[in-house]
PDB file of all heavy atoms in Angstrom:
ATOM      1  N   CYS A 866       0.985 -38.610  36.437  1.00  0.00           N
ATOM      2  CA  CYS A 866       0.286 -38.103  37.615  1.00  0.00           C
ATOM      3  C   CYS A 866      -0.137 -39.295  38.460  1.00  0.00           C
ATOM      4  O   CYS A 866      -0.657 -40.280  37.937  1.00  0.00           O
ATOM      5  CB  CYS A 866      -0.933 -37.282  37.193  1.00  0.00           C
ATOM      6  SG  CYS A 866      -1.868 -36.588  38.574  1.00  0.00           S
ATOM      7  N   VAL A 867       0.099 -39.206  39.789  1.00  0.00           N
ATOM      8  CA  VAL A 867      -0.214 -40.300  40.699  1.00  0.00           C
ATOM      9  C   VAL A 867      -1.075 -39.777  41.836  1.00  0.00           C
ATOM     10  O   VAL A 867      -0.817 -38.692  42.383  1.00  0.00           O
ATOM     11  CB  VAL A 867       1.079 -40.940  41.261  1.00  0.00           C
ATOM     12  CG1 VAL A 867       0.736 -42.008  42.300  1.00  0.00           C
ATOM     13  CG2 VAL A 867       1.911 -41.545  40.142  1.00  0.00           C
ATOM     14  N   TRP A 868      -2.086 -40.578  42.201  1.00  0.00           N
ATOM     15  CA  TRP A 868      -2.941 -40.273  43.340  1.00  0.00           C
ATOM     16  C   TRP A 868      -2.777 -41.355  44.395  1.00  0.00           C
ATOM     17  O   TRP A 868      -2.734 -42.549  44.077  1.00  0.00           O
ATOM     18  CB  TRP A 868      -4.416 -40.242  42.932  1.00  0.00           C
ATOM     19  CG  TRP A 868      -4.841 -39.146  42.018  1.00  0.00           C
ATOM     20  CD1 TRP A 868      -5.442 -37.969  42.361  1.00  0.00           C
ATOM     21  CD2 TRP A 868      -4.752 -39.142  40.589  1.00  0.00           C
ATOM     22  NE1 TRP A 868      -5.726 -37.222  41.255  1.00  0.00           N
ATOM     23  CE2 TRP A 868      -5.304 -37.920  40.143  1.00  0.00           C
ATOM     24  CE3 TRP A 868      -4.245 -40.029  39.641  1.00  0.00           C
ATOM     25  CZ2 TRP A 868      -5.382 -37.579  38.790  1.00  0.00           C
ATOM     26  CZ3 TRP A 868      -4.312 -39.694  38.306  1.00  0.00           C
ATOM     27  CH2 TRP A 868      -4.866 -38.490  37.890  1.00  0.00           C
ATOM     28  N   PHE A 869      -2.661 -40.935  45.648  1.00  0.00           N
ATOM     29  CA  PHE A 869      -2.719 -41.855  46.785  1.00  0.00           C
ATOM     30  C   PHE A 869      -3.577 -41.198  47.853  1.00  0.00           C
ATOM     31  O   PHE A 869      -3.169 -40.212  48.469  1.00  0.00           O
ATOM     32  CB  PHE A 869      -1.311 -42.148  47.327  1.00  0.00           C
ATOM     33  CG  PHE A 869      -1.317 -43.113  48.483  1.00  0.00           C
ATOM     34  CD1 PHE A 869      -1.316 -44.470  48.264  1.00  0.00           C
ATOM     35  CD2 PHE A 869      -1.363 -42.651  49.797  1.00  0.00           C
ATOM     36  CE1 PHE A 869      -1.332 -45.361  49.328  1.00  0.00           C
ATOM     37  CE2 PHE A 869      -1.383 -43.527  50.865  1.00  0.00           C
ATOM     38  CZ  PHE A 869      -1.369 -44.888  50.627  1.00  0.00           C
ATOM     39  N   ASP A 870      -4.768 -41.734  48.044  1.00  0.00           N
ATOM     40  CA  ASP A 870      -5.751 -41.103  48.932  1.00  0.00           C
ATOM     41  C   ASP A 870      -5.930 -39.644  48.519  1.00  0.00           C
ATOM     42  O   ASP A 870      -6.259 -39.372  47.378  1.00  0.00           O
ATOM     43  CB  ASP A 870      -5.322 -41.238  50.395  1.00  0.00           C
ATOM     44  CG  ASP A 870      -5.400 -42.678  50.876  1.00  0.00           C
ATOM     45  OD1 ASP A 870      -6.184 -43.450  50.293  1.00  0.00           O
ATOM     46  OD2 ASP A 870      -4.667 -43.025  51.815  1.00  0.00           O
ATOM     47  N   SER A 871      -5.657 -38.708  49.423  1.00  0.00           N
ATOM     48  CA  SER A 871      -5.838 -37.287  49.111  1.00  0.00           C
ATOM     49  C   SER A 871      -4.581 -36.640  48.546  1.00  0.00           C
ATOM     50  O   SER A 871      -4.576 -35.449  48.249  1.00  0.00           O
ATOM     51  CB  SER A 871      -6.261 -36.536  50.386  1.00  0.00           C
ATOM     52  OG  SER A 871      -5.260 -36.661  51.384  1.00  0.00           O
ATOM     53  N   THR A 872      -3.506 -37.418  48.396  1.00  0.00           N
ATOM     54  CA  THR A 872      -2.234 -36.883  47.895  1.00  0.00           C
ATOM     55  C   THR A 872      -2.111 -37.121  46.402  1.00  0.00           C
ATOM     56  O   THR A 872      -2.427 -38.207  45.900  1.00  0.00           O
ATOM     57  CB  THR A 872      -1.054 -37.555  48.615  1.00  0.00           C
ATOM     58  OG1 THR A 872      -1.160 -37.314  50.016  1.00  0.00           O
ATOM     59  CG2 THR A 872       0.273 -37.018  48.110  1.00  0.00           C
ATOM     60  N   GLN A 873      -1.643 -36.094  45.694  1.00  0.00           N
ATOM     61  CA  GLN A 873      -1.395 -36.203  44.263  1.00  0.00           C
ATOM     62  C   GLN A 873       0.001 -35.680  43.962  1.00  0.00           C
ATOM     63  O   GLN A 873       0.458 -34.711  44.578  1.00  0.00           O
ATOM     64  CB  GLN A 873      -2.426 -35.394  43.472  1.00  0.00           C
ATOM     65  CG  GLN A 873      -2.218 -35.434  41.963  1.00  0.00           C
ATOM     66  CD  GLN A 873      -3.126 -34.479  41.232  1.00  0.00           C
ATOM     67  OE1 GLN A 873      -2.713 -33.483  40.677  1.00  0.00           O
ATOM     68  NE2 GLN A 873      -4.423 -34.784  41.241  1.00  0.00           N
ATOM     69  N   ILE A 874       0.690 -36.328  43.025  1.00  0.00           N
ATOM     70  CA  ILE A 874       2.026 -35.889  42.658  1.00  0.00           C
ATOM     71  C   ILE A 874       2.160 -35.884  41.139  1.00  0.00           C
ATOM     72  O   ILE A 874       1.709 -36.813  40.456  1.00  0.00           O
ATOM     73  CB  ILE A 874       3.100 -36.774  43.321  1.00  0.00           C
ATOM     74  CG1 ILE A 874       4.494 -36.224  43.046  1.00  0.00           C
ATOM     75  CG2 ILE A 874       2.981 -38.224  42.891  1.00  0.00           C
ATOM     76  CD1 ILE A 874       5.560 -36.820  43.942  1.00  0.00           C
ATOM     77  N   ILE A 875       2.784 -34.822  40.621  1.00  0.00           N
ATOM     78  CA  ILE A 875       3.008 -34.639  39.187  1.00  0.00           C
ATOM     79  C   ILE A 875       4.489 -34.348  38.978  1.00  0.00           C
ATOM     80  O   ILE A 875       5.104 -33.642  39.776  1.00  0.00           O
ATOM     81  CB  ILE A 875       2.151 -33.476  38.647  1.00  0.00           C
ATOM     82  CG1 ILE A 875       0.657 -33.795  38.816  1.00  0.00           C
ATOM     83  CG2 ILE A 875       2.453 -33.185  37.186  1.00  0.00           C
ATOM     84  CD1 ILE A 875      -0.262 -32.620  38.502  1.00  0.00           C
ATOM     85  N   ALA A 876       5.077 -34.876  37.894  1.00  0.00           N
ATOM     86  CA  ALA A 876       6.496 -34.654  37.611  1.00  0.00           C
ATOM     87  C   ALA A 876       6.776 -35.015  36.160  1.00  0.00           C
ATOM     88  O   ALA A 876       5.872 -35.413  35.411  1.00  0.00           O
ATOM     89  CB  ALA A 876       7.377 -35.469  38.555  1.00  0.00           C
ATOM     90  N   ASP A 877       8.057 -34.890  35.762  1.00  0.00           N
ATOM     91  CA  ASP A 877       8.452 -35.302  34.412  1.00  0.00           C
ATOM     92  C   ASP A 877       8.451 -36.822  34.295  1.00  0.00           C
ATOM     93  O   ASP A 877       8.009 -37.385  33.284  1.00  0.00           O
ATOM     94  CB  ASP A 877       9.835 -34.746  34.064  1.00  0.00           C
ATOM     95  CG  ASP A 877       9.844 -33.222  33.973  1.00  0.00           C
ATOM     96  OD1 ASP A 877       8.756 -32.638  33.782  1.00  0.00           O
ATOM     97  OD2 ASP A 877      10.928 -32.626  34.098  1.00  0.00           O
ATOM     98  N   THR A 878       8.965 -37.493  35.316  1.00  0.00           N
ATOM     99  CA  THR A 878       8.921 -38.963  35.387  1.00  0.00           C
ATOM    100  C   THR A 878       8.551 -39.372  36.806  1.00  0.00           C
ATOM    101  O   THR A 878       8.952 -38.714  37.772  1.00  0.00           O
ATOM    102  CB  THR A 878      10.268 -39.601  35.012  1.00  0.00           C
ATOM    103  OG1 THR A 878      11.252 -39.254  35.985  1.00  0.00           O
ATOM    104  CG2 THR A 878      10.724 -39.154  33.632  1.00  0.00           C
ATOM    105  N   ILE A 879       7.810 -40.453  36.917  1.00  0.00           N
ATOM    106  CA  ILE A 879       7.420 -40.985  38.231  1.00  0.00           C
ATOM    107  C   ILE A 879       7.620 -42.493  38.218  1.00  0.00           C
ATOM    108  O   ILE A 879       7.241 -43.175  37.261  1.00  0.00           O
ATOM    109  CB  ILE A 879       5.962 -40.643  38.574  1.00  0.00           C
ATOM    110  CG1 ILE A 879       5.753 -39.119  38.625  1.00  0.00           C
ATOM    111  CG2 ILE A 879       5.560 -41.266  39.910  1.00  0.00           C
ATOM    112  CD1 ILE A 879       4.316 -38.699  38.911  1.00  0.00           C
ATOM    113  N   THR A 880       8.184 -43.013  39.304  1.00  0.00           N
ATOM    114  CA  THR A 880       8.371 -44.452  39.453  1.00  0.00           C
ATOM    115  C   THR A 880       7.678 -44.919  40.725  1.00  0.00           C
ATOM    116  O   THR A 880       7.874 -44.347  41.792  1.00  0.00           O
ATOM    117  CB  THR A 880       9.861 -44.816  39.528  1.00  0.00           C
ATOM    118  OG1 THR A 880      10.547 -44.263  38.397  1.00  0.00           O
ATOM    119  CG2 THR A 880      10.051 -46.331  39.526  1.00  0.00           C
ATOM    120  N   ILE A 881       6.852 -45.955  40.585  1.00  0.00           N
ATOM    121  CA  ILE A 881       6.147 -46.549  41.722  1.00  0.00           C
ATOM    122  C   ILE A 881       6.795 -47.888  42.050  1.00  0.00           C
ATOM    123  O   ILE A 881       6.985 -48.725  41.168  1.00  0.00           O
ATOM    124  CB  ILE A 881       4.653 -46.756  41.401  1.00  0.00           C
ATOM    125  CG1 ILE A 881       3.979 -45.414  41.059  1.00  0.00           C
ATOM    126  CG2 ILE A 881       3.931 -47.426  42.565  1.00  0.00           C
ATOM    127  CD1 ILE A 881       2.543 -45.579  40.573  1.00  0.00           C
ATOM    128  N   TYR A 882       7.118 -48.084  43.328  1.00  0.00           N
ATOM    129  CA  TYR A 882       7.695 -49.350  43.798  1.00  0.00           C
ATOM    130  C   TYR A 882       6.671 -50.036  44.702  1.00  0.00           C
ATOM    131  O   TYR A 882       6.288 -49.475  45.733  1.00  0.00           O
ATOM    132  CB  TYR A 882       8.994 -49.107  44.564  1.00  0.00           C
ATOM    133  CG  TYR A 882      10.103 -48.506  43.727  1.00  0.00           C
ATOM    134  CD1 TYR A 882      10.179 -47.127  43.531  1.00  0.00           C
ATOM    135  CD2 TYR A 882      11.068 -49.312  43.132  1.00  0.00           C
ATOM    136  CE1 TYR A 882      11.184 -46.563  42.763  1.00  0.00           C
ATOM    137  CE2 TYR A 882      12.087 -48.753  42.366  1.00  0.00           C
ATOM    138  CZ  TYR A 882      12.135 -47.379  42.185  1.00  0.00           C
ATOM    139  OH  TYR A 882      13.143 -46.831  41.422  1.00  0.00           O
ATOM    140  N   ALA A 883       6.242 -51.224  44.307  1.00  0.00           N
ATOM    141  CA  ALA A 883       5.247 -51.953  45.109  1.00  0.00           C
ATOM    142  C   ALA A 883       5.569 -53.440  45.020  1.00  0.00           C
ATOM    143  O   ALA A 883       5.049 -54.158  44.174  1.00  0.00           O
ATOM    144  CB  ALA A 883       3.840 -51.683  44.599  1.00  0.00           C
TER     145      ALA A 883
END
Side-chain angles (χ1 to χ4, degrees):
C866 181
V867 175
W868 293 262
F869 181 85
D870 291 335
S871 60
T872 301
Q873 179 188 110
I874 186 165
I875 297 171
D877 294 339
T878 66
I879 299 178
T880 306
I881 300 173
Y882 296 85

